[in-house]
Structure formats: structure tokens, C-alpha cells
Amino acid sequence: MLKTRILPTLLFKDNGLVKGKQFQSDRPVGSALQAIKVYNRREVDELIFLDVNASLQGRPPDFEQIDELADECFMPMTVGGGVSQVEHIRGLLAVGADKICIGSAAFSDPGLISEGARMYGRQCIVAAIDVRREGGDWRVYSHCGTRPTEYEPAAWAREVERLGVGEIVLTSIDRDGTMSGYDIEITKRVAAAVSVPVIASGGAGQFAHMVEVLKLGGASAVAAASIFHFTEMTPREAKLYLRDSGFAMRL
Amino acid sequence: MPRVAIIDYGLCNLDSIRRAVEMCGGDPFVTDEPDRLDEANLLILPGVGAFGVAMENLKAHGMDQAIREQVASGIPMLGICLGMQLLASHSCEGGRHAGLDLIPGDVVLLNERGGNDRVPHIGWNSVRCDQADDPLLGGLTDETDFYFVHSYHVACKDSGNAIASTPYCGGFTSVIRRDNVAGTQFHPEKSQRAGFHLLTNFLEQ
């Protein structure tokens, strides 16, 4: 049986890992290499590593850095931030990324997703969709939450699926870093709109939040950052909790 | 220490496989030169990517023929993920493509038999040992979890080549073997302890 995944998210900025609230006021939370070594020892299911400033600064991924990190990473790693050309996808896969996360660039160049999927298979192309609640509806934002797009999340999710992504990381900007729970409603809407797996992200503060978004939101997996950076709770404890809540987990 | 050639055809992540082989006690080298396969005791055909592009690249490097010759000489080979699919006769990923045809079978999309499982199949899933005496599976607990990330799978023509299976989309073959050629649909190099155990089994052949 396919196990439910819990993915720690590592956000990289300037020289180290950070974690903020609602995509702002980042606090430093240590070194990426150290975090990877720890998660490796703890046998976490998978990692997401995002270079959060790359797209904003208009620069490509730092291939050397990913190369170094991947050498220490014996678990699957999804890498994103600054991916704007097929050549970046190739370069990241070559240094050890397993899946490539595409966010901002998909709006100006949808062909990046279709060409990436054609070359490397859709299973390694992941769409990062960052959403913000606006009144009774939601809107997709690009460039680290700084630029509104014209898209409603479910419509954009269907579009990136059609273009060829194999997975979606759906992040609620409102809930990010607040530890107040995932946005169940939008997760449910997006998961119902597509047939690829959806990873819920943004808002985990208790293990019960994970159960909620998996059961009620239809997410296939959960990503979390603050809960692991700022509390004593570990991915393994999360897995035990989810197992006791009836999910198949890898322990 | 077995010399392990990791076949490079320009598509995929070779670093993590190289490191994993080292940690399992092998002496790996990455090569895109067919002649250098002669230096190896064992071959690994890795793979991330799309089938058609991968076969084109293998041919462009003259690797398809070199692999067939090495396999005919009896050298053990392990295909991983797309590398396993390349061992089959044909794939229908993005049109119909001929494979290396070392293990008769077709590469088909998951979910063709219906069901509600989401495709791609991504994450940790159990591997049921249908032929537990296979050397690759030695010492592994039945239904151990390995890491998968794929949309297609190999449907073996001869069920005797299907060594292990995984319950997803109605069930599919996750390990195949014919004589000295084997393949895993999952990524042992990303499957932590279980994956290293399987790689060690491969190195100790």
C-alpha cells in the first residue's frame, strides 16, 4: 500500500535556512547541510528544498549548492527556486535532485513544463502553486507571493496538469508559518480538480492538522516547516500519530 | 571490491547512485564510453526521464549495442526505474518506442485497468517478493517499502520474469529478472536502508 508522505520543507535564503510567516519576516533556522544530515538519520520520507529568492532576484538555481546537498541526501529531494529554463531542469537532475519544482516561470513560459515533461517525464516535474484567500475566493500568486496572477487555484492546477506536471505543492500563503492549520477548503478544491498527487503546505502546527488536510482536504501528502523548526515535534512522531489515526505510514 | 559501471547517457542523476554504490562496498565509475564497460564486473543502467529520449541517447552513445554485448557475455546488470523499463521490448510512453528487448514485455501506463489511485505513483510503497529466492531480494523482509516515482510500468510477457510486485493501480511488477539482467521500478539509491540492502545484494552476486 502507498504510504502517506510527510515532507519537511527547507527554505533557503542568502546563506542559510529561513522560516517566516505568510512569506515574510524570515527568521534564520540553521544550515541546510546540517538539516539534511539530521533528516537523513531520521529517515524522513522526502524533502522539499526551495531557494526562495531566486525567482525574485531573477537568477538561476545554485547548481553547486544543490550538488553538495544532494551528496548528503539519501532520501528523495524535490528542488525549486529560479527554475526558468529546461537547461535548469537538466542541471538540477544531473547534480542529484529527484524532482524539479516550477513556480513563477510557469506563468510567463508554460512551455517550460511541457518541454520538461517531454524530456524528463512528468513524474519529475512538480508545480508550486502559492495561493492567497481574497474574500470568498482564492488567487494564485507568483514570485514568492509578491505578484498576483489572473488564476484561480483549481483552474491553474488543471492547466499545469494539462501541461504535464506530475505533482502539485499547494501552499496557502495566509496559513504559512502561522501553525494554525492547513487551508482545507482550497486543498480540497485543488485535489478534486486534478488526478495528480497534491501535497498540502502551509499552516501545520499540530499533527492533527495533518490528519485534517489528508482526510478532509484530499491531499496525498503533507509538507511542513515551522512545526519541525520551532517545536520539539519530529517527522517520526508525526508519522506515529498519523499511523494511529489510520493512515499507512512508513516507519 | 566489484567494479561497477554506471551508464551515463546524459539524462539523469548519477551522483546519488554512485554514492550509494560506494557506501554499499562497490567501486563505481560513471561512463558514457561503450568500451569502458569492459572494465566492469557489474553494470547499472539508471534512469530518470522519458523513454523515447533515453533510447535515442543510448543509441547516440553506441551504448545500446554495447549493453547487449555485455549482457550476452554474462555480466550482471541492474536497471533502475526508467533503466528497468529500457530493458523491455517496447514502450508506449509518448508514441511507440523500441527498447533494449533484454526482458520481453511492454512498458504501459499505470491505471489502464481503472481505479482511483493517482498517477504518477509517487512515494513509498511495499514490494511483495513473488520469487523470494531471487538473489536481489535475499534477506529482505516481504512487503518492505521502497521509493517510487513513475507513471509507466513493465508488463512482462513471461510471468517467470516478474520477481516482485507492488499494490497500486491494480498491482504492477516492481522487480524483473531474466538470467543476469534485473530491474527495479523503485529507486534503491533513494530508499535508505532497504535500498542499500538490495544494492549490496546486487554487488555481492
Side-chain angles (χ1 to χ4, degrees), chain B residues 31-189:
Chain B
T31 183
D32 61 358
E33 298 169 48
D35 291 346
R36 288 202 61 203
L37 300 187
D38 288 336
E39 297 168 32
N41 312 105
L42 301 161
L43 306 182
I44 290 181
L45 183 61
V48 166
F51 194 99
V53 182
M55 271 312 286
E56 274 169 34
N57 283 20
L58 276 179
K59 285 181 186 162
H61 287 86
M63 271 295 182
D64 56 329
Q65 201 45 41
I67 289 170
R68 286 195 188 92
E69 282 165 19
Q70 293 290 338
V71 165
S73 77
I75 190 168
M77 178 161 92
L78 177 66
I80 295 173
C81 196
L82 177 65
M84 159 181 172
Q85 297 177 2
L86 293 169
L87 304 174
S89 319
H90 292 99
S91 170
C92 62
E93 180 179 1
R96 189 167 165 85
H97 305 278
L100 291 168
D101 199 19
L102 295 168
I103 301 183
D106 286 326
V107 180
V108 295
L109 189 61
L110 283 167
N111 235 7
E112 282 194 331
R113 281 165 293 182
N116 295 320
D117 289 336
R118 288 177 185 245
V119 175
H121 175 218
I122 301 179
W124 297 80
N125 206 335
S126 47
V127 170
R128 174 170 299 157
C129 305
D130 300 315
Q131 297 189 31
D133 57 345
D134 191 272
L136 219 44
L137 306 177
L140 275 173
T141 310
D142 199 20
E143 311 224 353
T144 296
D145 290 324
F146 287 88
Y147 187 79
F148 291 84
V149 50
H150 64 118
S151 306
Y152 291 80
H153 70 102
V154 177
C156 288
K157 205 169 171 189
D158 176 356
S159 62
N161 294 146
I163 302 301
S165 56
T166 292
Y168 199 73
C169 289
F172 67 90
T173 298
S174 45
V175 182
I176 59 176
R177 170 182 299 282
R178 187 186 186 209
D179 304 324
N180 49 325
V181 182
T184 64
Q185 183 57 66
F186 49 82
H187 286 271
E189 79 282 10

Side-chain angles (χ1 to χ4, degrees), chain A residues 48-129:
Chain A
I48 300 177
F49 181 90
L50 299 174
D51 185 340
V52 289
N53 264 349
S55 286
L56 268 179
Q57 297 171 349
R59 62 177 165 78
D62 183 343
F63 299 101
E64 267 179 46
Q65 180 201 26
I66 301 302
D67 195 4
E68 266 173 44
L69 297 177
D71 277 353
E72 294 301 327
C73 188
F74 292 99
M75 63 214 133
M77 178 160 67
T78 295
V79 177
V83 178
S84 61
Q85 300 172 17
V86 174
E87 190 51 31
H88 298 159
I89 300 175
R90 193 203 63 77
L92 287 173
L93 290 173
V95 296
D98 297 284
K99 290 184 280 177
I100 309 303
C101 204
I102 298 176
S104 305
F107 298 97
S108 51
D109 180 16
L112 176 63
I113 291 177
S114 42
E115 186 57 11
R118 189 187 71 80
M119 291 286 293
Y120 302 104
R122 69 185 304 149
Q123 79 291 331
C124 75
I125 309 292
V126 180
I129 302 184

Side-chain angles (χ1 to χ4, degrees), chain A residues 72 76 80 84 144 147 160 196 248:
Chain A
E72 294 301 327
S84 61
C144 221
R147 295 190 202 170
V160 292
V196 297

